Amino acid sequence: MTDTTLYPVPQSALDHTLCDHDRYMKMYAQSVEDPEGFWRDHKDRLDWFKVPTKIKDTNFSGPVSIRWFDDGQLNACYNCVDRHLETDRDTVAFIFEGDDPSVTSTITYGDLHSHVCRFANILLKNGVKKGDRVTLYMPMIPEASYAMLACARIGAVHSVIFGGFSSEAIAGRLDDCQSDFIITADEGIRGAKTIPLKANVDKAIQILKESYKQEVKKVLMIAHTNASVPLTSGRDILYHEELETVDADCPCTPMNAEDPLFILYTSGSTGKPKGVLHTTGGYLLWASLTHEYVFDYKKGEIYWCTADVGWITGHSYIVYGPLSNCATSVIFEGVPNYPDSGRFWEVVDKHQVNIFYTAPTAIRAVMKEGDHLVTQHSRASLRLLGTVGEPINPEAWNWYYSVVGDKRCQIVDTWWQTETGGAMITPLPGATALKPGSATRPIFGIKPALLDAEGTILEGAASGNLVILDSWPGQMRTVYGDHERFVQTYFSTYDGMYFTGDGCRRDEDGYYWITGRVDDVINVSGHRMGTAEVESALVAHHHIAEAAVVGFPHDIKGQGIYAYVTCNADIEPDETLKSELTKWVRTEIGPIASPDAIQFAPGLPKTRSGKIMRRILRKIAEKDFSNLGDTSTLADPSIVEDLIATRQKE
Ligand code: 6R9
């Protein structure tokens, strides 16, 4: 049952508010009625080298083209670092909390400036130029943000690959954006386990050479654990040695507003990850404005987003948003359950965190360990709690609100996507009464709509596919190197509208409830996995003839990965093969893609035209055998009976 109680805005949010309900209504109305005027005013939150006169030039149909602040010039790193120096040189930008609880350090804006300048000079010295794609494969350490900002400073385009991806995945991404410069560390550490980052990079470079005939010129390595790792002379360079050779001053390159800032790969409904491209002016403005309004951020407060920089949440809400607002943020290297499942709240007390932003999967994981791990810590500093990544189930929402937040903290359930750059549908503290499990209402400039399968816009309370009717500054501009795929993926389902891939319900109060993906994307622990990506990894195994992958409910992860696998005729499927396949997918994609369940299937249910009927496979994975829907188009109904019989035995 969905709880539709309206939770009033807690007093702590009202006392503090940047934007109360009336102001939100007024600003929202202006933003959708007069976007030009609204964004003309709000562009001034950034420092421009050349102030734009053009504001919005966007087209969702005909030739799809999205340009914002087109004739403006700025630099993202300047906005995140340099402009704060005069007043806030000694303000703390980052509090680093290591995986090991005894490791903590602070980095002021003054320190950040010199680290980033030196980093940028190292890149320049080693031949990186404006427009070059630089790949980062990094642990959650401050150097990851120095590297991103250093790229932004000199106009290089960063492509961050999550440290949990495999060598194969790195190679594919290096090839896709033709990147020949990698920044990595010797090893990462999470939950006291080491991750062989440099070794994975070495293997990726070999795969790149063999399978893609591409070369990497340089690998810049940061010594983090000081593990001894093999180095390739002429190619590998050591950050700590290079630091001695460069000075702490490096000018910011003026960039056009529409120059690329970064590429971030994300799963789609087809096999190959998409290089989502964000540009400088619009993205930064969106990250900055949403960070301030959604978290109601006031200077001096301690803010902590637990995401990894390998995901968009880390880009927008650890690096670009908070730094552009001169915030003080915690960077956390560890995991929620090390040394124990009270780590979040221990760190909250230790650094007196006011604003805490995490994912429902992390909430569910610590929730199951018991309330005592929360209540033994004070948490008195907390004022606001955020979530992102997947729909939050009302049980987890209520626990977050009542136990973690002691019913005095506002919750912000923020719905957005890699493609949107920043929060889109979200409560604003002090302005929006809450309903557990609802992302509530759109932020400034966002015009959501719900459509049925025929493309009719639904009015009032309704359920349908979520689209956005007009552009906003933080929108992705293209799929790197493949504009046609961008148009196909987002603008061909409904002409003239941005299709999110999500299903959604709007209630009688105009609140939005995201129900999950409607395409072949599974949301595992808040991470997007394309079913096609996992399927193609499985069929790449020499014993496998065919595979179909679906999502199924999972207590902690939200959705788990369920794989139906058909073996080659001469293969006898057994438990050993199951574990071999699980390992195989980990190597092909990474641990996050590991199937949670594998079912061997003599055949897959297909229509007479050969399409796999995933709908049926989903139901069987969920053990919901009673309501398989229309099965009249099945080519061979006995296959379904077989699959059900096997599943029933489990
Ligand atoms: C920021 C991020 C995007 C997909 C999105 C949706 C799901 C994200 C959500 C949510 C319900 C929320 N999603 N936030 N669903 N409520 N608050 O997560 O980006 O990794 O690209 O994933 O995540 O399905 O379409 P990304």
Side-chain angles (χ1 to χ4, degrees), residues 266 311-313 357 387-392 413-419 425 437 439 500-502 514-517 523 526-528:
T266 191
W311 307 110
I312 190 68
T313 309
Y357 190 35
T387 86
V388 58
E390 55 179 312
I392 179 162
D413 174 358
T414 61
W415 174 83
W416 58 291
Q417 309 179 294
T418 305
E419 294 87 338
I425 300 182
T500 63
D502 279 333
I514 309 295
T515 50
R517 303 288 307 190
N523 195 328
H527 302 150
R528 278 162 63 168

PDB file of all heavy atoms in Angstrom, residues 266 311-313 357 387-392 413-419 425 437 439 500-502 514-517 523 526-528, ligand 1:
ATOM      1  N   THR A 266      26.728   5.451 -19.842  1.00  0.00           N
ATOM      2  CA  THR A 266      25.607   4.887 -19.109  1.00  0.00           C
ATOM      3  C   THR A 266      24.944   3.797 -19.939  1.00  0.00           C
ATOM      4  O   THR A 266      25.028   3.806 -21.171  1.00  0.00           O
ATOM      5  CB  THR A 266      24.596   5.976 -18.706  1.00  0.00           C
ATOM      6  OG1 THR A 266      23.669   5.404 -17.793  1.00  0.00           O
ATOM      7  CG2 THR A 266      23.825   6.521 -19.886  1.00  0.00           C
ATOM      8  N   TRP A 311      29.820   7.968 -10.986  1.00  0.00           N
ATOM      9  CA  TRP A 311      28.430   8.110 -11.418  1.00  0.00           C
ATOM     10  C   TRP A 311      28.084   9.587 -11.555  1.00  0.00           C
ATOM     11  O   TRP A 311      28.769  10.444 -10.997  1.00  0.00           O
ATOM     12  CB  TRP A 311      27.471   7.483 -10.399  1.00  0.00           C
ATOM     13  CG  TRP A 311      27.812   6.061 -10.076  1.00  0.00           C
ATOM     14  CD1 TRP A 311      28.310   5.595  -8.911  1.00  0.00           C
ATOM     15  CD2 TRP A 311      27.700   4.921 -10.943  1.00  0.00           C
ATOM     16  NE1 TRP A 311      28.501   4.232  -8.990  1.00  0.00           N
ATOM     17  CE2 TRP A 311      28.142   3.804 -10.210  1.00  0.00           C
ATOM     18  CE3 TRP A 311      27.250   4.755 -12.261  1.00  0.00           C
ATOM     19  CZ2 TRP A 311      28.164   2.516 -10.754  1.00  0.00           C
ATOM     20  CZ3 TRP A 311      27.275   3.470 -12.796  1.00  0.00           C
ATOM     21  CH2 TRP A 311      27.717   2.376 -12.050  1.00  0.00           C
ATOM     22  N   ILE A 312      27.007   9.874 -12.219  1.00  0.00           N
ATOM     23  CA  ILE A 312      26.622  11.278 -12.435  1.00  0.00           C
ATOM     24  C   ILE A 312      26.387  11.985 -11.096  1.00  0.00           C
ATOM     25  O   ILE A 312      26.672  13.175 -10.954  1.00  0.00           O
ATOM     26  CB  ILE A 312      25.378  11.398 -13.354  1.00  0.00           C
ATOM     27  CG1 ILE A 312      25.117  12.846 -13.772  1.00  0.00           C
ATOM     28  CG2 ILE A 312      24.134  10.826 -12.683  1.00  0.00           C
ATOM     29  CD1 ILE A 312      26.120  13.455 -14.680  1.00  0.00           C
ATOM     30  N   THR A 313      25.866  11.270 -10.102  1.00  0.00           N
ATOM     31  CA  THR A 313      25.600  11.916  -8.812  1.00  0.00           C
ATOM     32  C   THR A 313      26.902  12.471  -8.220  1.00  0.00           C
ATOM     33  O   THR A 313      26.924  13.557  -7.646  1.00  0.00           O
ATOM     34  CB  THR A 313      24.927  10.928  -7.844  1.00  0.00           C
ATOM     35  OG1 THR A 313      23.814  10.348  -8.519  1.00  0.00           O
ATOM     36  CG2 THR A 313      24.444  11.615  -6.585  1.00  0.00           C
ATOM     37  N   TYR A 357      23.153  12.810   1.710  1.00  0.00           N
ATOM     38  CA  TYR A 357      22.505  12.421   0.455  1.00  0.00           C
ATOM     39  C   TYR A 357      23.000  11.035   0.067  1.00  0.00           C
ATOM     40  O   TYR A 357      24.203  10.835  -0.104  1.00  0.00           O
ATOM     41  CB  TYR A 357      22.911  13.448  -0.597  1.00  0.00           C
ATOM     42  CG  TYR A 357      22.204  13.407  -1.933  1.00  0.00           C
ATOM     43  CD1 TYR A 357      20.863  13.068  -2.060  1.00  0.00           C
ATOM     44  CD2 TYR A 357      22.881  13.797  -3.096  1.00  0.00           C
ATOM     45  CE1 TYR A 357      20.236  13.091  -3.296  1.00  0.00           C
ATOM     46  CE2 TYR A 357      22.260  13.827  -4.339  1.00  0.00           C
ATOM     47  CZ  TYR A 357      20.946  13.474  -4.434  1.00  0.00           C
ATOM     48  OH  TYR A 357      20.318  13.499  -5.659  1.00  0.00           O
ATOM     49  N   THR A 387      17.711  11.339  -1.070  1.00  0.00           N
ATOM     50  CA  THR A 387      17.908  10.036  -1.723  1.00  0.00           C
ATOM     51  C   THR A 387      17.869  10.206  -3.234  1.00  0.00           C
ATOM     52  O   THR A 387      17.240  11.122  -3.753  1.00  0.00           O
ATOM     53  CB  THR A 387      16.850   8.960  -1.348  1.00  0.00           C
ATOM     54  OG1 THR A 387      15.722   9.097  -2.222  1.00  0.00           O
ATOM     55  CG2 THR A 387      16.400   9.061   0.070  1.00  0.00           C
ATOM     56  N   VAL A 388      18.530   9.286  -3.917  1.00  0.00           N
ATOM     57  CA  VAL A 388      18.583   9.306  -5.373  1.00  0.00           C
ATOM     58  C   VAL A 388      18.940   7.933  -5.903  1.00  0.00           C
ATOM     59  O   VAL A 388      19.596   7.167  -5.224  1.00  0.00           O
ATOM     60  CB  VAL A 388      19.638  10.311  -5.888  1.00  0.00           C
ATOM     61  CG1 VAL A 388      21.030   9.997  -5.363  1.00  0.00           C
ATOM     62  CG2 VAL A 388      19.657  10.366  -7.419  1.00  0.00           C
ATOM     63  N   GLY A 389      18.507   7.661  -7.117  1.00  0.00           N
ATOM     64  CA  GLY A 389      18.994   6.467  -7.812  1.00  0.00           C
ATOM     65  C   GLY A 389      17.921   5.483  -8.197  1.00  0.00           C
ATOM     66  O   GLY A 389      18.048   4.779  -9.178  1.00  0.00           O
ATOM     67  N   GLU A 390      16.863   5.420  -7.412  1.00  0.00           N
ATOM     68  CA  GLU A 390      15.796   4.462  -7.700  1.00  0.00           C
ATOM     69  C   GLU A 390      14.598   4.863  -6.847  1.00  0.00           C
ATOM     70  O   GLU A 390      14.747   5.664  -5.915  1.00  0.00           O
ATOM     71  CB  GLU A 390      16.239   3.041  -7.360  1.00  0.00           C
ATOM     72  CG  GLU A 390      16.709   2.960  -5.938  1.00  0.00           C
ATOM     73  CD  GLU A 390      17.157   1.583  -5.503  1.00  0.00           C
ATOM     74  OE1 GLU A 390      16.419   0.628  -5.767  1.00  0.00           O
ATOM     75  OE2 GLU A 390      18.206   1.489  -4.874  1.00  0.00           O
ATOM     76  N   PRO A 391      13.451   4.297  -7.143  1.00  0.00           N
ATOM     77  CA  PRO A 391      12.302   4.615  -6.294  1.00  0.00           C
ATOM     78  C   PRO A 391      12.592   4.152  -4.869  1.00  0.00           C
ATOM     79  O   PRO A 391      13.148   3.077  -4.674  1.00  0.00           O
ATOM     80  CB  PRO A 391      11.174   3.775  -6.903  1.00  0.00           C
ATOM     81  CG  PRO A 391      11.611   3.450  -8.294  1.00  0.00           C
ATOM     82  CD  PRO A 391      13.100   3.384  -8.248  1.00  0.00           C
ATOM     83  N   ILE A 392      12.253   4.953  -3.883  1.00  0.00           N
ATOM     84  CA  ILE A 392      12.450   4.528  -2.494  1.00  0.00           C
ATOM     85  C   ILE A 392      11.129   3.958  -1.992  1.00  0.00           C
ATOM     86  O   ILE A 392      10.076   4.603  -2.094  1.00  0.00           O
ATOM     87  CB  ILE A 392      12.989   5.656  -1.589  1.00  0.00           C
ATOM     88  CG1 ILE A 392      13.145   5.158  -0.142  1.00  0.00           C
ATOM     89  CG2 ILE A 392      12.157   6.933  -1.634  1.00  0.00           C
ATOM     90  CD1 ILE A 392      14.049   6.030   0.719  1.00  0.00           C
ATOM     91  N   ASP A 413      13.616  13.392  -1.983  1.00  0.00           N
ATOM     92  CA  ASP A 413      13.706  12.239  -2.888  1.00  0.00           C
ATOM     93  C   ASP A 413      13.849  12.824  -4.284  1.00  0.00           C
ATOM     94  O   ASP A 413      12.892  13.331  -4.856  1.00  0.00           O
ATOM     95  CB  ASP A 413      12.426  11.402  -2.739  1.00  0.00           C
ATOM     96  CG  ASP A 413      12.337  10.265  -3.741  1.00  0.00           C
ATOM     97  OD1 ASP A 413      13.238  10.114  -4.589  1.00  0.00           O
ATOM     98  OD2 ASP A 413      11.339   9.514  -3.691  1.00  0.00           O
ATOM     99  N   THR A 414      15.080  12.773  -4.818  1.00  0.00           N
ATOM    100  CA  THR A 414      15.377  13.502  -6.052  1.00  0.00           C
ATOM    101  C   THR A 414      15.366  12.558  -7.243  1.00  0.00           C
ATOM    102  O   THR A 414      16.197  11.651  -7.317  1.00  0.00           O
ATOM    103  CB  THR A 414      16.763  14.163  -5.955  1.00  0.00           C
ATOM    104  OG1 THR A 414      17.755  13.134  -5.770  1.00  0.00           O
ATOM    105  CG2 THR A 414      16.837  15.116  -4.763  1.00  0.00           C
ATOM    106  N   TRP A 415      14.473  12.777  -8.175  1.00  0.00           N
ATOM    107  CA  TRP A 415      14.470  11.974  -9.406  1.00  0.00           C
ATOM    108  C   TRP A 415      15.238  12.713 -10.497  1.00  0.00           C
ATOM    109  O   TRP A 415      14.949  13.875 -10.785  1.00  0.00           O
ATOM    110  CB  TRP A 415      13.041  11.721  -9.917  1.00  0.00           C
ATOM    111  CG  TRP A 415      13.105  11.035 -11.255  1.00  0.00           C
ATOM    112  CD1 TRP A 415      13.259   9.697 -11.482  1.00  0.00           C
ATOM    113  CD2 TRP A 415      13.077  11.663 -12.548  1.00  0.00           C
ATOM    114  NE1 TRP A 415      13.341   9.459 -12.841  1.00  0.00           N
ATOM    115  CE2 TRP A 415      13.232  10.637 -13.506  1.00  0.00           C
ATOM    116  CE3 TRP A 415      12.957  12.987 -12.988  1.00  0.00           C
ATOM    117  CZ2 TRP A 415      13.248  10.895 -14.882  1.00  0.00           C
ATOM    118  CZ3 TRP A 415      12.981  13.252 -14.362  1.00  0.00           C
ATOM    119  CH2 TRP A 415      13.115  12.199 -15.291  1.00  0.00           C
ATOM    120  N   TRP A 416      16.179  12.014 -11.078  1.00  0.00           N
ATOM    121  CA  TRP A 416      16.904  12.565 -12.237  1.00  0.00           C
ATOM    122  C   TRP A 416      17.703  11.473 -12.894  1.00  0.00           C
ATOM    123  O   TRP A 416      17.584  10.311 -12.523  1.00  0.00           O
ATOM    124  CB  TRP A 416      17.741  13.772 -11.856  1.00  0.00           C
ATOM    125  CG  TRP A 416      18.783  13.595 -10.777  1.00  0.00           C
ATOM    126  CD1 TRP A 416      18.556  13.381  -9.451  1.00  0.00           C
ATOM    127  CD2 TRP A 416      20.198  13.631 -10.925  1.00  0.00           C
ATOM    128  NE1 TRP A 416      19.746  13.285  -8.780  1.00  0.00           N
ATOM    129  CE2 TRP A 416      20.771  13.446  -9.651  1.00  0.00           C
ATOM    130  CE3 TRP A 416      21.050  13.835 -12.023  1.00  0.00           C
ATOM    131  CZ2 TRP A 416      22.154  13.435  -9.452  1.00  0.00           C
ATOM    132  CZ3 TRP A 416      22.428  13.828 -11.819  1.00  0.00           C
ATOM    133  CH2 TRP A 416      22.958  13.637 -10.544  1.00  0.00           C
ATOM    134  N   GLN A 417      18.496  11.823 -13.900  1.00  0.00           N
ATOM    135  CA  GLN A 417      19.203  10.824 -14.703  1.00  0.00           C
ATOM    136  C   GLN A 417      20.565  11.364 -15.133  1.00  0.00           C
ATOM    137  O   GLN A 417      20.772  12.589 -15.132  1.00  0.00           O
ATOM    138  CB  GLN A 417      18.419  10.534 -15.994  1.00  0.00           C
ATOM    139  CG  GLN A 417      16.967  10.200 -15.789  1.00  0.00           C
ATOM    140  CD  GLN A 417      16.263   9.963 -17.113  1.00  0.00           C
ATOM    141  OE1 GLN A 417      16.113  10.887 -17.917  1.00  0.00           O
ATOM    142  NE2 GLN A 417      15.821   8.736 -17.344  1.00  0.00           N
ATOM    143  N   THR A 418      21.447  10.467 -15.532  1.00  0.00           N
ATOM    144  CA  THR A 418      22.733  10.894 -16.104  1.00  0.00           C
ATOM    145  C   THR A 418      22.466  11.949 -17.188  1.00  0.00           C
ATOM    146  O   THR A 418      23.158  12.955 -17.285  1.00  0.00           O
ATOM    147  CB  THR A 418      23.453   9.674 -16.730  1.00  0.00           C
ATOM    148  OG1 THR A 418      23.562   8.661 -15.740  1.00  0.00           O
ATOM    149  CG2 THR A 418      24.835  10.044 -17.238  1.00  0.00           C
ATOM    150  N   GLU A 419      21.441  11.683 -17.981  1.00  0.00           N
ATOM    151  CA  GLU A 419      21.118  12.539 -19.111  1.00  0.00           C
ATOM    152  C   GLU A 419      20.633  13.931 -18.706  1.00  0.00           C
ATOM    153  O   GLU A 419      20.720  14.872 -19.489  1.00  0.00           O
ATOM    154  CB  GLU A 419      19.990  11.889 -19.938  1.00  0.00           C
ATOM    155  CG  GLU A 419      20.357  10.586 -20.635  1.00  0.00           C
ATOM    156  CD  GLU A 419      20.166   9.342 -19.754  1.00  0.00           C
ATOM    157  OE1 GLU A 419      20.154   9.473 -18.514  1.00  0.00           O
ATOM    158  OE2 GLU A 419      20.046   8.243 -20.334  1.00  0.00           O
ATOM    159  N   ILE A 425      12.793  16.217 -10.643  1.00  0.00           N
ATOM    160  CA  ILE A 425      11.558  16.151  -9.862  1.00  0.00           C
ATOM    161  C   ILE A 425      11.986  15.887  -8.433  1.00  0.00           C
ATOM    162  O   ILE A 425      12.644  14.875  -8.152  1.00  0.00           O
ATOM    163  CB  ILE A 425      10.613  15.046 -10.384  1.00  0.00           C
ATOM    164  CG1 ILE A 425      10.243  15.326 -11.840  1.00  0.00           C
ATOM    165  CG2 ILE A 425       9.354  14.952  -9.515  1.00  0.00           C
ATOM    166  CD1 ILE A 425       9.272  14.329 -12.456  1.00  0.00           C
ATOM    167  N   GLY A 437       7.839   8.108  -0.715  1.00  0.00           N
ATOM    168  CA  GLY A 437       7.916   7.358  -1.964  1.00  0.00           C
ATOM    169  C   GLY A 437       7.636   8.196  -3.193  1.00  0.00           C
ATOM    170  O   GLY A 437       7.770   7.714  -4.313  1.00  0.00           O
ATOM    171  N   ALA A 439       8.656  11.519  -5.505  1.00  0.00           N
ATOM    172  CA  ALA A 439       9.678  12.556  -5.757  1.00  0.00           C
ATOM    173  C   ALA A 439       9.011  13.939  -5.824  1.00  0.00           C
ATOM    174  O   ALA A 439       9.681  14.941  -6.070  1.00  0.00           O
ATOM    175  CB  ALA A 439      10.450  12.235  -7.024  1.00  0.00           C
ATOM    176  N   THR A 500      12.051   9.795 -21.059  1.00  0.00           N
ATOM    177  CA  THR A 500      12.976   9.462 -19.974  1.00  0.00           C
ATOM    178  C   THR A 500      13.269   7.972 -19.854  1.00  0.00           C
ATOM    179  O   THR A 500      14.234   7.597 -19.206  1.00  0.00           O
ATOM    180  CB  THR A 500      12.364   9.894 -18.626  1.00  0.00           C
ATOM    181  OG1 THR A 500      11.159   9.128 -18.424  1.00  0.00           O
ATOM    182  CG2 THR A 500      12.032  11.371 -18.594  1.00  0.00           C
ATOM    183  N   GLY A 501      12.385   7.126 -20.410  1.00  0.00           N
ATOM    184  CA  GLY A 501      12.528   5.678 -20.199  1.00  0.00           C
ATOM    185  C   GLY A 501      11.887   5.216 -18.904  1.00  0.00           C
ATOM    186  O   GLY A 501      11.906   4.039 -18.584  1.00  0.00           O
ATOM    187  N   ASP A 502      11.310   6.138 -18.140  1.00  0.00           N
ATOM    188  CA  ASP A 502      10.678   5.787 -16.865  1.00  0.00           C
ATOM    189  C   ASP A 502       9.159   5.823 -16.958  1.00  0.00           C
ATOM    190  O   ASP A 502       8.592   6.640 -17.683  1.00  0.00           O
ATOM    191  CB  ASP A 502      11.090   6.781 -15.763  1.00  0.00           C
ATOM    192  CG  ASP A 502      12.460   6.456 -15.190  1.00  0.00           C
ATOM    193  OD1 ASP A 502      12.863   5.286 -15.221  1.00  0.00           O
ATOM    194  OD2 ASP A 502      13.135   7.383 -14.708  1.00  0.00           O
ATOM    195  N   ILE A 514       7.572   7.951  -9.412  1.00  0.00           N
ATOM    196  CA  ILE A 514       8.286   7.204 -10.455  1.00  0.00           C
ATOM    197  C   ILE A 514       8.102   5.718 -10.163  1.00  0.00           C
ATOM    198  O   ILE A 514       8.318   5.273  -9.038  1.00  0.00           O
ATOM    199  CB  ILE A 514       9.797   7.537 -10.445  1.00  0.00           C
ATOM    200  CG1 ILE A 514      10.037   9.050 -10.478  1.00  0.00           C
ATOM    201  CG2 ILE A 514      10.540   6.794 -11.563  1.00  0.00           C
ATOM    202  CD1 ILE A 514       9.600   9.758 -11.711  1.00  0.00           C
ATOM    203  N   THR A 515       7.713   4.944 -11.192  1.00  0.00           N
ATOM    204  CA  THR A 515       7.462   3.525 -10.944  1.00  0.00           C
ATOM    205  C   THR A 515       8.598   2.640 -11.449  1.00  0.00           C
ATOM    206  O   THR A 515       8.591   1.435 -11.217  1.00  0.00           O
ATOM    207  CB  THR A 515       6.138   3.092 -11.583  1.00  0.00           C
ATOM    208  OG1 THR A 515       6.132   3.539 -12.950  1.00  0.00           O
ATOM    209  CG2 THR A 515       4.961   3.713 -10.861  1.00  0.00           C
ATOM    210  N   GLY A 516       9.580   3.214 -12.151  1.00  0.00           N
ATOM    211  CA  GLY A 516      10.714   2.407 -12.620  1.00  0.00           C
ATOM    212  C   GLY A 516      10.820   2.444 -14.131  1.00  0.00           C
ATOM    213  O   GLY A 516       9.974   3.028 -14.819  1.00  0.00           O
ATOM    214  N   ARG A 517      11.825   1.764 -14.651  1.00  0.00           N
ATOM    215  CA  ARG A 517      12.102   1.826 -16.087  1.00  0.00           C
ATOM    216  C   ARG A 517      11.013   1.083 -16.865  1.00  0.00           C
ATOM    217  O   ARG A 517      10.502   0.051 -16.418  1.00  0.00           O
ATOM    218  CB  ARG A 517      13.451   1.168 -16.398  1.00  0.00           C
ATOM    219  CG  ARG A 517      14.616   1.764 -15.663  1.00  0.00           C
ATOM    220  CD  ARG A 517      15.037   3.115 -16.139  1.00  0.00           C
ATOM    221  NE  ARG A 517      15.280   3.189 -17.559  1.00  0.00           N
ATOM    222  CZ  ARG A 517      15.850   4.266 -18.148  1.00  0.00           C
ATOM    223  NH1 ARG A 517      16.225   5.319 -17.425  1.00  0.00           N
ATOM    224  NH2 ARG A 517      16.034   4.301 -19.442  1.00  0.00           N
ATOM    225  N   ASN A 523      17.504  -1.487 -12.760  1.00  0.00           N
ATOM    226  CA  ASN A 523      18.134  -0.595 -11.799  1.00  0.00           C
ATOM    227  C   ASN A 523      18.617  -1.425 -10.602  1.00  0.00           C
ATOM    228  O   ASN A 523      17.861  -1.756  -9.715  1.00  0.00           O
ATOM    229  CB  ASN A 523      17.103   0.460 -11.373  1.00  0.00           C
ATOM    230  CG  ASN A 523      17.758   1.613 -10.671  1.00  0.00           C
ATOM    231  OD1 ASN A 523      18.760   1.442  -9.991  1.00  0.00           O
ATOM    232  ND2 ASN A 523      17.184   2.794 -10.826  1.00  0.00           N
ATOM    233  N   GLY A 526      20.574   1.110  -7.609  1.00  0.00           N
ATOM    234  CA  GLY A 526      20.674   2.478  -8.125  1.00  0.00           C
ATOM    235  C   GLY A 526      21.599   2.616  -9.320  1.00  0.00           C
ATOM    236  O   GLY A 526      21.819   3.701  -9.822  1.00  0.00           O
ATOM    237  N   HIS A 527      22.152   1.510  -9.803  1.00  0.00           N
ATOM    238  CA  HIS A 527      23.016   1.567 -10.977  1.00  0.00           C
ATOM    239  C   HIS A 527      22.289   0.988 -12.173  1.00  0.00           C
ATOM    240  O   HIS A 527      21.690  -0.068 -12.093  1.00  0.00           O
ATOM    241  CB  HIS A 527      24.311   0.780 -10.755  1.00  0.00           C
ATOM    242  CG  HIS A 527      25.090   1.256  -9.577  1.00  0.00           C
ATOM    243  ND1 HIS A 527      25.875   0.436  -8.833  1.00  0.00           N
ATOM    244  CD2 HIS A 527      25.174   2.484  -9.014  1.00  0.00           C
ATOM    245  CE1 HIS A 527      26.426   1.130  -7.852  1.00  0.00           C
ATOM    246  NE2 HIS A 527      26.006   2.370  -7.935  1.00  0.00           N
ATOM    247  N   ARG A 528      22.391   1.669 -13.277  1.00  0.00           N
ATOM    248  CA  ARG A 528      21.678   1.207 -14.463  1.00  0.00           C
ATOM    249  C   ARG A 528      22.440   0.116 -15.178  1.00  0.00           C
ATOM    250  O   ARG A 528      23.613   0.251 -15.459  1.00  0.00           O
ATOM    251  CB  ARG A 528      21.486   2.387 -15.404  1.00  0.00           C
ATOM    252  CG  ARG A 528      20.330   3.217 -15.020  1.00  0.00           C
ATOM    253  CD  ARG A 528      20.420   4.563 -15.647  1.00  0.00           C
ATOM    254  NE  ARG A 528      20.383   4.487 -17.098  1.00  0.00           N
ATOM    255  CZ  ARG A 528      20.205   5.569 -17.851  1.00  0.00           C
ATOM    256  NH1 ARG A 528      20.057   6.751 -17.301  1.00  0.00           N
ATOM    257  NH2 ARG A 528      20.170   5.463 -19.150  1.00  0.00           N
TER     258      ARG A 528
HETATM  259  C1  6R9 B   1      20.829  10.200 -10.888  1.00  0.00           C
HETATM  260  C2  6R9 B   1      20.738   8.811 -11.402  1.00  0.00           C
HETATM  261  C3  6R9 B   1      18.593   7.180 -13.768  1.00  0.00           C
HETATM  262  C4  6R9 B   1      17.395   6.290 -13.475  1.00  0.00           C
HETATM  263  C5  6R9 B   1      16.082   6.976 -13.732  1.00  0.00           C
HETATM  264  C6  6R9 B   1      15.158   6.244 -12.778  1.00  0.00           C
HETATM  265  C7  6R9 B   1      16.028   5.965 -11.580  1.00  0.00           C
HETATM  266  C8  6R9 B   1      16.844   7.916 -10.196  1.00  0.00           C
HETATM  267  C9  6R9 B   1      15.184   8.185  -8.814  1.00  0.00           C
HETATM  268  C10 6R9 B   1      14.857   7.138  -9.699  1.00  0.00           C
HETATM  269  C11 6R9 B   1      12.822   6.883  -8.687  1.00  0.00           C
HETATM  270  C12 6R9 B   1      14.217   8.529  -7.804  1.00  0.00           C
HETATM  271  N1  6R9 B   1      15.928   6.994 -10.542  1.00  0.00           N
HETATM  272  N2  6R9 B   1      16.408   8.633  -9.149  1.00  0.00           N
HETATM  273  N3  6R9 B   1      13.678   6.498  -9.628  1.00  0.00           N
HETATM  274  N4  6R9 B   1      13.043   7.859  -7.791  1.00  0.00           N
HETATM  275  N5  6R9 B   1      14.450   9.497  -6.904  1.00  0.00           N
HETATM  276  O1  6R9 B   1      20.354   7.903 -10.698  1.00  0.00           O
HETATM  277  O2  6R9 B   1      21.076   8.651 -12.715  1.00  0.00           O
HETATM  278  O3  6R9 B   1      22.227   6.406 -12.976  1.00  0.00           O
HETATM  279  O4  6R9 B   1      21.349   7.706 -14.964  1.00  0.00           O
HETATM  280  O5  6R9 B   1      19.800   6.555 -13.369  1.00  0.00           O
HETATM  281  O6  6R9 B   1      17.372   5.952 -12.089  1.00  0.00           O
HETATM  282  O7  6R9 B   1      14.753   5.043 -13.349  1.00  0.00           O
HETATM  283  O8  6R9 B   1      15.718   6.884 -15.080  1.00  0.00           O
HETATM  284  P1  6R9 B   1      21.176   7.305 -13.545  1.00  0.00           P
END
